[in-house]
Amino acid sequence: MCRRGADVTIDIMYGDEFSEVYVSYYEGQGKDYAAEAEDITRLIRERTPGADSLLDVACGTGAHLRRFNQLFAHSEGVELSEGMVKFGRVHYPELTLHQGDMRDFHLGRKFDAVTCMFSSIGHVGGPDGLDATARCFAEHLVTGGTLVVEPWWFPENFIDGYVASGVSEVDGRKMVRLSHSVREGDATKITVHMAIADAERGLRHVTEVGLLSLFEQARYEKAFAQAGIDAEYVEGGPLGRGLFVGTRR
């Protein structure tokens, strides 16, 4: 991490400052984490009736997990970012959060369902990382259990040079987000600038730069199949990127 006065440059989704405003920004944009968790729960129970335990991988601060925790008798989350885990543990002490890499974590138990939302799977770092992640998913799923993964864009859907912007206000804090996405080999390089202002702390600025792998639909399906999960791609999903829904053999 490097600092320049009020500016902070961090890896995408990893710094304390970004963790603090991450969920607030998207909620201010109208993202309904609870409703999304309810939709995913219905999808899970259509395929695994009676499913009552769930693991949310790359759970961030626990925004989806808070609702999953109410809908399942037992739920846990795994997240790589120390800042996000720390934030979640402080603000949502009822949640069980583990710090771990989705490509290599071992909790020592299996769940009726495993989820990975908000295109977090794009951060696996390439085909080997995707295969390792799929194996970790399978390791934590009971036979007949359901996997739900929200992918990043497929290569043919990604718009090179895409620019996005948004403004949110939550509890008196204003947040302005600008992003620029370009193709870099088989990945998306996304640069995000966020300006944050409130009465107590004034104005500050966070810059994030990250890479999200661009996998074809067939490559996702191959990774899941090799891990013992029969998965299908379902159009739609919370962000229009679709969902992979699979069953552990």
Side-chain angles (χ1 to χ4, degrees), residues 13-233:
M13 298 187 187
Y14 281 71
D16 288 355
E17 175 76 0
F18 184 66
S19 299
E20 181 185 344
V21 301
Y22 179 77
V23 172
S24 291
Y25 172 80
Y26 287 106
E27 287 180 337
Q29 286 284 296
K31 186 172 179 64
D32 191 335
Y33 289 92
E36 290 178 8
E38 291 163 9
D39 289 342
I40 297 302
T41 298
R42 284 191 289 270
L43 199 59
I44 289 167
R45 289 186 173 139
E46 287 173 1
R47 289 159 174 77
T48 308
D52 219 15
S53 61
L54 177 141
L55 175 66
D56 192 20
V57 180
C59 65
T61 61
H64 287 112
L65 191 59
R66 292 172 64 194
R67 184 61 178 136
F68 283 137
N69 195 52
Q70 298 169 336
L71 296 168
F72 291 82
H74 181 81
S75 68
E76 300 181 28
V78 174
E79 168 58 43
L80 179 61
S81 166
E82 181 180 359
M84 288 194 171
V85 171
K86 182 169 63 176
F87 183 92
R89 286 173 176 167
V90 169
H91 290 83
Y92 317 124
E94 72 276 13
L95 302 182
T96 300
L97 301 175
H98 307 274
Q99 187 178 359
D101 190 322
M102 73 177 92
R103 297 165 295 186
D104 184 23
F105 68 93
H106 309 279
L107 302 184
R109 67 156 293 166
K110 296 181 183 292
F111 299 80
D112 297 326
V114 172
T115 57
C116 184
M117 303 300 294
F118 218 166
S119 299
S120 299
I121 196 146
H123 292 283
V124 296
D128 290 344
L130 179 62
D131 291 339
T133 299
R135 289 193 295 269
C136 277
F137 290 162
E139 175 188 334
H140 292 84
L141 263 178
V142 300
T143 299
T146 296
L147 171 71
V148 180
V149 175
E150 186 176 15
W152 181 235
W153 296 112
F154 301 142
E156 65 270 21
N157 301 131
F158 172 67
I159 301 173
D160 197 8
Y162 184 74
V163 173
S165 64
V167 179
S168 287
E169 182 174 358
V170 178
D171 297 331
R173 177 166 52 191
K174 295 182 184 292
M175 296 159 280
V176 180
R177 182 183 185 275
L178 288 169
S179 69
H180 179 233
S181 302
V182 295
R183 183 157 183 166
E184 192 169 281
D186 293 326
T188 298
K189 179 181 179 181
I190 179 169
T191 303
V192 179
H193 291 263
M194 184 176 286
I196 308 144
D198 56 43
E200 181 180 350
R201 298 179 60 186
L203 176 65
R204 61 262 192 212
H205 174 249
V206 177
T207 299
E208 320 143 40
V209 180
L211 289 175
L212 289 89
S213 296
L214 290 163
F215 298 115
E216 295 178 349
Q217 177 181 333
R219 186 62 183 84
Y220 280 107
E221 292 167 344
K222 177 182 177 182
F224 298 140
Q226 289 176 160
I229 299 170
D230 296 322
E232 62 174 325
Y233 177 70

